[in-house]
């Protein structure tokens, strides 16, 4: 029987896991995945496709990613002596960090609710994941975090900053306390950096146990898959051994090199999203039966009372709008949903559909 063989060979943690579900979004207004809704001006697209013509697809990609490395060093104003490595999305970097852990030190911690990949990848690798609940208002429960750190001695703590799916950025002082008490690594995941006002980049030099992660996905290049990890070379050189040598393809490298020269374009789009976020939040909060939380990211978390998140999610799909239903994701997310800030028209369409469902 094939089932017997599968269950004998595959790790129990994988057999027990559910595959990461990506819903079919064809034909829908897509506000579920924090994508940038804007495309590039025609002349930039033409320039980009011309740039790609230099690709030698018969050759393996540049394994050292040297051009991308130097362009990013300039574009991001990285502190001197900061080492960096690249992942096929920051998801891959999370996976690499987890793969590197010593067998005897296998506790992974994150506040929860947070980015699901921390828990998902940890459990598939049979690591011990400790999720420390946030406070009811989604602020960090610092005493609980510190107590849990002392008790479980985590090898890695992941902090999404701003946090997904709650949208808030935890107090910087609280994070520094965590960094000081942590016996191992603290990874600050700045996936939403473009939409927040702050960065913890300066902590890289202050603390030897901090790594900082960024991605181009939320900035407008979700299709490109490019994540970046920054930190001391003592850490990065070990982690980089786990990276498959050609994990970033030639077309991706060329595209990233090209767009970094035009990073202002993406920054302007992010600024527009940030500007629209305020009005969108206000309109959402004003709807009867909605409680929304202020966000430092390009999405807004909100709770509905009647008729419940599952129903609201389904009814929105009927009106061709896809957002993320968080019902069941964590006890603190009871009847919560998450909506990406889209274009003005998309936001309007969402708001009026939501109103029609909640206030019939
Ligand atoms: C979206 C997201 C990521 C994943 O980014 P990719 O680079 O697309 O893999 C990582 N961390 C957080 C907190 C996110 O929300």
């Amino acid at each position: 029987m094939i089932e017997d063989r599968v269950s004998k060979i595959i790790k129990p943690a994988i057999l027990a896991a559910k595959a990461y579900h990506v819903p079919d979004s064809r034909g829908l207004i897509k506000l579920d995945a924090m994508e940038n809704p804007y495309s590039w001006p025609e002349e930039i697209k033409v320039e980009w496709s011309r740039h790609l013509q230099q690709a030698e697809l018969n050759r393996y990609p540049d394994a050292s990613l040297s051009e991308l490395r130097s362009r990013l060093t300039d574009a991001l104003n990285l502190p001197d002596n900061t080492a960096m490595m690249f992942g096929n999305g920051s998801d891959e970097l999370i996976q690499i960090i987890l793969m590197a852990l010593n067998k005897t030190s296998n506790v992974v911690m994150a506040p929860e609710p947070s980015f699901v990949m921390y828990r998902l990848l940890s459990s598939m690798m049979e690591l011990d994941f400790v999720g420390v609940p946030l406070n009811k208002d989604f602020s960090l429960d610092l005493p609980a975090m510190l107590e849990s750190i002392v008790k479980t001695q985590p090898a890695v703590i992941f902090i999404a900053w701003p946090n997904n799916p709650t949208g808030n950025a935890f107090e910087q002082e609280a994070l520094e306390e965590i960094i000081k008490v942590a016996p191992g690594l603290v990874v600050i995941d700045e996936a939403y950096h473009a939409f927040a006002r702050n960065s913890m980049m300066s902590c890289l030099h202050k603390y030897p146990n901090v790594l900082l992660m960024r991605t181009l996905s939320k900035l407008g290049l979700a299709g490109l898959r490019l994540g970046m990890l920054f930190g001391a070379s003592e850490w990065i050189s070990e982690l980089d051994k786990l990276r498959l040598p050609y994990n970033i393809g030639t077309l991706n490298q060329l595209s990233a090199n090209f767009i970094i020269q035009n990073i202002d374009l993406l920054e302007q789009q992010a600024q527009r999203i940030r500007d629209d976020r305020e009005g969108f939040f206000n309109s959402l909060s004003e709807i009867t039966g909605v409680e929304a939380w202020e966000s430092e990211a390009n999405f807004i978390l909100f709770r509905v009372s009647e008729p419940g998140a599952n129903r609201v999610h389904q009814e929105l799909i009927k009106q061709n709008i896809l957002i993320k239903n968080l019902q069941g994701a964590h006890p603190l997310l009871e009847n919560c949903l998450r909506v990406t800030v889209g274009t003005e028209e998309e936001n309007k369409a969402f708001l009026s559909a939501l109103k029609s469902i909640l206030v019939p």
Side-chain angles (χ1 to χ4, degrees):
M1 287 291 277
I2 188 157
E3 287 89 348
D4 296 341
R5 265 196 226 207
V6 169
S7 60
K8 205 177 285 168
I9 298 296
I10 306 290
K11 282 182 188 177
I14 296 175
L15 294 172
K18 274 197 218 132
Y20 186 81
H21 174 64
V22 179
D24 185 3
S25 59
R26 277 172 299 178
L28 301 181
I29 295 181
K30 199 170 178 314
L31 298 175
D32 65 323
M34 284 78 90
E35 291 145 327
N36 175 337
Y38 303 109
S39 61
W40 302 347
E42 209 47 43
E43 66 272 18
I44 298 276
K45 281 189 186 167
V46 170
E47 221 184 299
W48 169 58
S49 54
R50 216 177 282 137
H51 187 79
L52 289 182
Q53 282 172 19
Q54 63 183 286
E56 293 184 13
L57 288 182
N58 55 319
R59 303 288 176 197
Y60 280 105
D62 175 4
S64 65
L65 296 108
S66 47
E67 187 169 351
L68 187 54
R69 204 173 285 276
S70 72
R71 283 181 195 255
L72 273 174
T73 307
D74 299 341
L76 298 179
N77 282 321
L78 291 184
D80 290 342
N81 301 319
T82 306
M84 75 174 103
M85 68 180 281
F86 299 97
N88 195 1
S90 40
D91 287 351
E92 190 185 42
L93 293 167
I94 298 167
Q95 191 182 44
I96 286 174
I97 293 166
L98 296 175
M99 278 197 286
L101 299 185
N102 192 328
K103 260 197 178 146
T104 56
S105 156
N106 62 358
V107 174
V108 179
M109 182 181 289
E112 277 193 316
S114 189
F115 186 46
V116 290
M117 283 295 165
Y118 309 145
R119 177 186 276 276
L120 201 81
L121 293 173
S122 297
S123 64
M124 293 228 209
M125 283 186 238
E126 305 189 316
L127 300 166
D128 239 334
F129 184 86
V130 177
V132 180
L134 294 172
N135 291 316
K136 260 189 149 167
D137 63 355
F138 303 123
S139 62
L140 199 66
D141 186 348
L142 183 61
M145 281 295 286
L146 295 177
E147 195 189 315
S148 196
I149 292 168
V150 171
K151 205 169 104 198
T152 66
Q153 297 290 301
V156 191
I157 303 170
F158 285 99
I159 306 277
W161 200 73
N163 189 37
N164 172 11
T166 58
N168 57 324
F170 307 128
E171 297 271 329
Q172 201 158 339
E173 297 74 39
L175 296 187
E176 293 199 37
E177 278 203 56
I178 286 170
I179 291 165
K180 285 179 196 153
V181 175
L185 275 172
V186 179
V187 179
I188 309 288
D189 180 351
E190 293 190 349
Y192 298 96
H193 170 255
F195 310 100
R197 277 168 224 103
N198 269 324
S199 172
M200 299 262 296
M201 189 70 91
S202 64
C203 284
L204 284 182
H205 274 205
K206 235 158 119 188
Y207 306 103
N209 59 332
V210 171
L211 296 179
L212 191 122
M213 197 159 59
R214 295 248 183 106
T215 171
L216 296 183
S217 294
K218 312 296 160 50
L219 183 60
L221 299 165
L224 188 64
R225 311 304 296 132
L226 193 78
M228 299 154 274
L229 187 66
F230 307 107
S233 61
E234 287 85 345
W235 292 113
I236 298 291
S237 60
E238 298 305 326
L239 295 171
D240 205 43
K241 295 176 190 170
L242 273 166
R243 183 180 66 84
L244 297 175
Y246 305 118
N247 67 331
I248 312 292
T250 303
L251 293 176
N252 290 13
Q253 291 193 34
L254 283 172
S255 297
N257 294 341
F258 171 80
I259 200 62
I260 287 160
Q261 287 175 282
N262 294 282
I263 199 88
D264 288 353
L265 170 68
L266 298 178
E267 297 285 357
Q268 280 160 20
Q269 293 178 341
Q271 177 68 49
R272 186 160 164 196
I273 293 166
R274 229 168 18 203
D275 292 343
D276 288 347
R277 177 177 67 197
E278 198 182 331
F280 189 36
F281 171 80
N282 290 337
S283 307
L284 184 57
S285 310
E286 280 164 11
I287 299 174
T288 314
V290 169
E291 180 184 9
W293 283 270
E294 283 204 70
S295 171
E296 305 271 328
N298 63 339
F299 59 84
I300 296 172
L301 179 77
F302 66 100
R303 175 175 285 142
V304 293
S305 41
E306 288 298 315
N310 290 342
R311 184 72 192 281
V312 166
H313 185 247
Q314 282 163 10
E315 293 295 320
L316 283 169
I317 290 175
K318 280 188 201 159
Q319 301 197 40
N320 286 329
I321 293 164
L322 183 65
I323 66 168
K324 177 81 175 176
N325 181 11
L326 293 162
Q327 175 67 35
H330 189 276
L332 288 170
L333 296 173
E334 184 77 25
N335 278 322
C336 284
L337 302 118
R338 185 191 66 199
V339 60
T340 309
V341 181
T343 63
E344 232 179 303
E345 301 77 54
E346 290 173 334
N347 301 340
K348 265 196 200 137
F350 160 77
L351 288 166
S352 86
L354 183 67
K355 266 185 221 161
S356 77
I357 294 162
L358 295 182
V359 200

